[in-house]
Amino acid sequence: DTGVSQNPRHKITKRGQNVTFRCDPISEHNRLYWYRQTLGQGPEFLTYFQNEAQLEKSRLLSDRFSAERPKGSFSTLEIQRTEQGDSAMYLCASSPTELNTEAFFGQGTRLTVV
Amino acid sequence: QKEVEQNSGPLSVPEGAIASLNCTYSDRGSQSFFWYRQYSGKSPELIMFIYSNGDKEDGRFTAQLNKASQYVSLLIRDSQPSDSATYLCALGDDMRFGAGTRLTVKP
């Protein structure tokens, strides 16, 4: 297994367009996390899944953000009607279910909204 | 809202010194605590986790947890220039992160 894979690595979009990112976790990792990170800040929690169940979603997010993990494997994060403030690095991480185990991060998708 | 606060830094220490990084949190129900390191332009990587009160040592790194005070810290002994990075505290099943502390170790 080559680790957590995120696609695309970079995305430039015009304001108002919709974008979708994909995350393929490490095989057999039940948990999957999405974060947003801007320069000089820590990863901001967006949502996380246990298998296909979305267990929590940040209240900071507007309804323009949605995430799915339909079969408990890969996940997608969609941003509708993008705004310039959405420009950031979007990180995905996965981990086994067991307590106190490491979450492994993908390389991220850098979104630029122009 | 679950809060994770880290001393904002930046923190600068000379090579060979001890670097001390601190994190406080608001959610008393948190049971697992993590320290990640993030080099510039890279994704975070785990240094260590701790879930019991007290100290946990791994090489040059020691994590300290005090649940009563809602405080977790990371000590880096014999700091090296290669330790220069941003250090992120994270906690809980939902892996909430603090803003991070940028550490620079000067030769």
Side-chain angles (χ1 to χ4, degrees):
Chain A
D1 195 299
T2 58
V4 179
S5 176
Q6 290 189 246
N7 288 286
R9 293 289 308 280
H10 303 274
K11 178 70 175 179
I12 300 174
T13 191
K14 292 184 178 180
R15 188 174 53 188
Q17 296 295 304
N18 299 342
V19 294
T20 299
F21 308 141
R22 176 175 170 130
C23 173
D24 287 90
I26 294 172
S27 297
E28 300 180 356
H29 276 193
N30 303 106
R31 291 193 172 171
L32 187 147
Y33 306 84
W34 283 102
Y35 298 91
R36 177 174 65 185
Q37 189 173 30
T38 54
L39 193 63
Q41 298 298 313
E44 178 188 7
F45 173 83
L46 296 179
T47 189
Y48 88 109
F49 293 84
Q50 174 78 24
N51 298 314
E52 67 274 13
Q54 187 173 23
L55 296 187
E56 193 168 349
K57 179 178 178 180
S58 171
R59 288 177 292 176
L60 297 175
L61 286 185
S62 70
D63 290 340
R64 296 186 298 108
F65 287 72
S66 63
E68 294 183 340
R69 194 181 183 197
K71 295 183 179 180
S73 57
F74 73 92
S75 176
T76 58
L77 176 69
E78 180 181 19
I79 309 174
Q80 296 181 325
R81 306 182 302 283
T82 53
E83 303 171 356
Q84 287 189 319
D86 296 331
S87 296
M89 177 71 82
Y90 289 82
L91 293 168
C92 174
S94 72
S95 73
T97 306
E98 290 76 21
L99 194 64
N100 302 318
T101 54
E102 179 176 0
F104 293 85
F105 281 82
Q107 293 182 294
T109 294
R110 180 167 295 284
L111 173 66
T112 302
V113 182
V114 298
Chain B
Q1 182 71 15
K2 299 177 184 178
E3 300 287 342
V4 183
E5 301 285 343
Q6 293 188 244
N7 44 338
S8 57
L11 177 66
S12 180
V13 300
E15 184 174 356
I18 295 175
S20 177
L21 303 153
N22 304 313
C23 176
T24 59
Y25 59 94
S26 63
D27 181 14
R28 285 191 172 274
S30 296
Q31 298 189 25
S32 50
F33 305 84
F34 305 85
W35 281 101
Y36 280 79
R37 176 176 59 199
Q38 187 174 27
Y39 291 112
S40 181
K42 301 295 185 181
S43 294
E45 55 184 5
L46 183 74
I47 298 173
M48 61 194 307
F49 65 83
I50 185 168
Y51 59 89
S52 298
N53 275 328
D55 296 358
K56 179 180 180 182
E57 187 174 317
D58 185 0
R60 296 185 296 111
F61 299 94
T62 299
Q64 299 174 318
L65 175 61
N66 185 324
K67 290 186 179 180
S69 300
Q70 295 174 250
Y71 175 97
V72 57
S73 66
L74 180 70
L75 300 177
I76 307 174
R77 291 182 299 280
D78 188 23
S79 295
Q80 301 297 309
S82 58
D83 294 327
S84 298
T86 296
Y87 288 81
L88 299 160
C89 170
L91 55 96
D93 284 352
D94 52 0
M95 292 285 293
R96 303 280 178 147
F97 281 83
T101 301
R102 177 179 290 276
L103 171 67
T104 300
V105 181
K106 295 186 176 181

